[in-house]
Amino acid sequence: MHGPMNLTLFNTLTRQKEVFVPLVPGRVSLYTCGPTVYADAHIGNLRSYVFPDVLRKTLARLGYQVTQVLNITDVGHLTSDADQGEDKMEAAAAKRGESAWEIAERYTERFLTDLDRLGIARPDVMPKATGHIAEQIRLIERLEEKGFTYRAEDGVYFDTEQFPEYGQLARLDKDGLREGARVDMGAKRHKTDFALWKFSPAGAQRQMEWDSPWGRGFPGWHIECSAMAMKYLGETFDIHTGGKDHIPVHHTNEIAQSEGATGRPYVRYWLHGEFLVLGGESDPEQAARMGKSEGNFLRLQEVVERGFDPLAYRYLVLNSHYRKFLHFSWEALKGAETALLGLRRLVRQALDDLGQMGNQGESLPTGLPAAGSVQHELLADLCDDLNTPKALATLHVALKNPSVSAQERADLARFADSLLSLGLMDFSRLADVQAPPEVEELARQRWAARQAKNWGESDRLRDELQERGWLVKDSKEGYTLEPVKG
Ligand code: AMP
Ligand code: ZN
């Protein structure tokens, strides 16, 4: 045991759930791979920032002092992850007749707006790749001094043959790779080698380019994360997060170049999120990953323009475990919004019962909630590898339980919101369908009767509600009340 409540996390390195123990007692260093800012993030990308947000809030509640770094990739990410093709930033600039710098700035701003709308707390440090060229060059020099690099006609490469542990994170079979899938080799010696520095093309001037000991050019995509993570968090740090597509290439390469340079372990816990997909609910083979290059993407802005509360999307994300597919559809989003509004209605009821409406400014006590309380149970759900669907169920059940006092329900709502950030005290969207307190009370009694399989009583209460002009709709998560139309 490591204190009153253990946090377990699934570590991609070991493919196991492990009890989290930080390197430095009381502190946690957390790095989150951030966006490439040549276009808007799609809602799939945004999913990959929700689970680190819940993680940092959970860690903070457990009493850790968390430093979270999220990088902004504004140079060097090529259209193919294998060091070929155009730089995504320069390509976007050419297409739109704007400068790469303007594009980076605009999409960084829009990304931050998306984070805000999703209740994702701003990371402590948000370094840009273009602001850390010197650090990247220095890291490449260290690798060069240790014999891990070679120069080719178009750049400086990391020689993966010199790093025997290469590919452990992804369980890569280097020999299989050698014979296997065709890889566009370009100038590299081995299929798994990757660019550390690329030269500007002869005779052409890039918008983003810098001098280096090897020639004018720009950093490869992976080196930025190693250089910035180690600058802000140290050569070994606690947790690194990203989408699972990063396991075989980007994170594999980050490990090789960081550990090659320092001779120490780079990251202690690697956490990877599963994709948001379209389709495939009954047959996972049919699920299509949402992707910028797949052309099937949706932005958060479109969700908002359809009249949804962006936090309904956050609810949808939290209602799937981060290591499982999230099957997106508009119906699923509608269902999430209904469930979220149901929660807010229950919270309003609790505050009404307490006579505390309009008095929500109380500060939340710090420290761990008392063992045996619902707050404790909800935190324990999150401590089990961020089991957010379970936490939501715990919250719904307790808010509907007539034997939980109004004070407890109100405190629970504030506690849950500090971890899940669902705007539980935002009642603005409830205004048009506000049921009077006695109707809410009847609905709560009916739900309790239903839970107790007391069907006669539950039907009677349903009829009574209908006579008073309110329809009850049940769903997996609970019920909602709607005024009878006409
Ligand atoms: P990018 O801006 O392309 O560098 O990607 C930002 C983040 O989104 C990375 O952590 C990716 O792994 C992640 N990502 C990309 N596509 C999806 C998806 N369909 N679902 C969830 N995460 C994704
Ligand atoms: Zn990264």
Side-chain angles (χ1 to χ4, degrees):
M1 287 294 283
H2 300 269
M5 202 184 278
N6 277 338
L7 169 64
T8 59
L9 297 172
F10 184 88
N11 189 348
T12 308
L13 270 180
T14 58
R15 304 289 196 274
Q16 273 174 5
K17 273 199 211 177
E18 296 175 16
V19 174
F20 173 73
V21 183
L23 191 62
V24 179
R27 288 172 185 266
V28 179
S29 41
L30 169 62
Y31 188 90
T32 297
C33 269
T36 309
V37 286
Y38 69 103
D40 279 318
H42 56 68
I43 59 172
N45 298 134
L46 294 171
R47 180 188 191 195
S48 290
Y49 305 108
V50 173
F51 79 86
D53 180 63
V54 175
L55 173 61
R56 81 175 261 193
K57 288 170 181 167
T58 302
L59 286 163
R61 172 49 64 174
L62 293 173
Y64 293 110
Q65 197 187 318
V66 184
T67 306
Q68 185 186 17
V69 178
L70 181 147
N71 65 299
I72 302 290
T73 298
D74 56 357
V75 68
H77 194 169
L78 304 189
T79 44
S80 138
D81 279 358
D83 304 315
Q84 299 300 316
E86 291 174 282
D87 184 321
K88 293 184 180 185
M89 296 300 306
E90 301 256 339
K95 203 165 116 196
R96 301 206 197 121
E98 283 176 279
S99 85
W101 300 96
E102 281 165 350
I103 289 187
E105 192 163 322
R106 160 145 30 90
Y107 289 109
T108 303
E109 273 314 307
R110 285 164 66 146
F111 173 71
L112 295 178
T113 304
D114 283 349
L115 294 192
D116 293 347
R117 291 199 282 198
L118 287 178
I120 298 173
R122 296 268 176 116
D124 304 286
V125 193
M126 285 189 278
K128 294 182 198 171
T130 54
H132 295 76
I133 300 297
E135 288 84 347
Q136 296 177 71
I137 290 177
R138 179 68 204 121
L139 190 56
I140 302 169
E141 284 176 336
R142 279 174 81 179
L143 288 166
E144 191 173 41
E145 285 155 21
K146 293 194 166 185
F148 283 109
T149 67
Y150 60 89
R151 272 175 99 122
E153 54 177 307
D154 65 350
V156 178
Y157 285 84
F158 185 95
D159 183 351
T160 52
E161 287 296 298
Q162 302 302 317
F163 189 74
E165 302 83 58
Y166 186 82
Q168 270 175 6
L169 176 76
R171 310 281 192 270
L172 281 187
D173 170 9
K174 256 203 287 182
D175 297 324
L177 263 179
R178 221 167 272 142
E179 272 102 63
R182 236 192 55 221
V183 172
D184 189 352
M185 291 291 287
K188 40 188 171 180
R189 292 184 190 155
H190 318 105
K191 282 182 179 168
T192 47
D193 293 356
F194 56 92
L196 296 166
W197 188 264
K198 289 211 91 176
F199 303 134
S200 296
Q205 204 196 342
R206 285 174 47 97
Q207 297 184 22
M208 293 176 154
E209 57 177 12
W210 296 265
D211 286 323
S212 83
W214 311 280
R216 212 167 165 68
F218 59 100
W221 169 39
H222 319 293
I223 197 75
E224 65 167 274
C225 282
S226 292
M228 300 195 291
M230 294 199 286
K231 169 168 180 168
Y232 293 103
L233 300 174
E235 292 188 345
T236 301
F237 59 91
D238 291 310
I239 307 174
H240 195 312
T241 71
K244 77 164 208 187
D245 52 323
H246 286 340
I247 299 171
V249 181
H250 183 49
H251 291 165
T252 289
N253 294 347
E254 274 191 58
I255 293 173
Q257 65 199 1
S258 307
E259 300 192 352
T262 67
R264 298 173 199 209
Y266 174 51
V267 169
R268 302 171 66 243
Y269 302 84
W270 284 94
L271 267 58
H272 290 100
E274 182 50 270
F275 291 140
L276 177 150
V277 294
L278 299 170
E281 285 86 346
S282 46
D283 178 5
E285 296 278 306
Q286 300 300 313
R289 168 187 168 187
M290 180 172 284
K292 284 178 199 161
S293 29
E294 280 76 355
N296 60 3
F297 61 86
L298 267 174
R299 302 175 176 88
L300 190 62
Q301 182 59 30
E302 279 141 18
V303 167
V304 172
E305 277 164 15
R306 285 216 188 189
F308 284 97
D309 182 334
L311 293 178
Y313 176 65
R314 183 175 171 108
Y315 186 100
L316 182 70
V317 169
L318 296 180
N319 208 21
S320 291
H321 190 259
Y322 78 96
R323 289 193 289 113
K324 298 231 168 82
F325 279 140
L326 169 58
H327 295 277
F328 180 84
S329 66
W330 291 107
E331 298 80 75
L333 183 60
K334 186 79 200 128
E337 184 166 72
T338 303
L340 175 59
L341 294 182
L343 272 182
R344 289 178 181 165
R345 211 163 275 134
L346 290 166
V347 174
R348 189 179 57 192
Q349 181 66 49
L351 297 180
D352 269 348
D353 292 351
L354 267 181
Q356 275 199 359
M357 282 299 286
N359 172 28
Q360 300 141 28
E362 268 172 86
S363 65
L364 206 56
T366 53
L368 291 180
S373 67
V374 184
Q375 295 184 24
H376 196 269
E377 184 187 343
L378 189 142
L379 185 59
D381 294 335
L382 297 179
C383 283
D384 177 15
D385 192 29
L386 308 178
N387 194 343
T388 51
K390 178 88 192 314
L392 288 175
T394 300
L395 183 60
H396 274 282
V397 168
L399 289 178
K400 268 180 209 140
N401 182 347
S403 64
V404 179
S405 74
Q407 184 69 56
E408 272 178 274
R409 280 182 276 130
D411 291 347
L412 171 66
R414 287 192 302 137
F415 179 79
D417 221 29
S418 74
L419 294 159
L420 302 174
S421 306
L422 287 168
L424 295 178
M425 320 283 167
D426 173 4
F427 307 130
S428 55
R429 284 179 184 251
L430 304 183
D432 47 341
V433 286
Q434 186 162 353
E438 63 282 5
V439 167
E440 297 274 5
E441 180 53 33
L442 281 176
R444 207 133 39 99
Q445 287 172 11
R446 191 198 69 96
W447 181 258
R450 206 171 172 260
Q451 296 294 84
K453 302 208 175 359
N454 188 349
W455 307 120
E457 175 70 356
S458 113
D459 285 349
R460 188 189 69 73
L461 287 163
R462 174 189 290 275
D463 292 345
E464 184 170 345
L465 281 162
Q466 194 145 1
E467 272 163 35
R468 288 171 183 245
W470 293 87
L471 265 183
V472 203
K473 294 196 173 170
D474 292 316
S475 72
K476 255 201 309 202
E477 273 84 22
Y479 63 86
T480 54
L481 275 176
E482 284 176 23
V484 178
K485 299 223 172 64

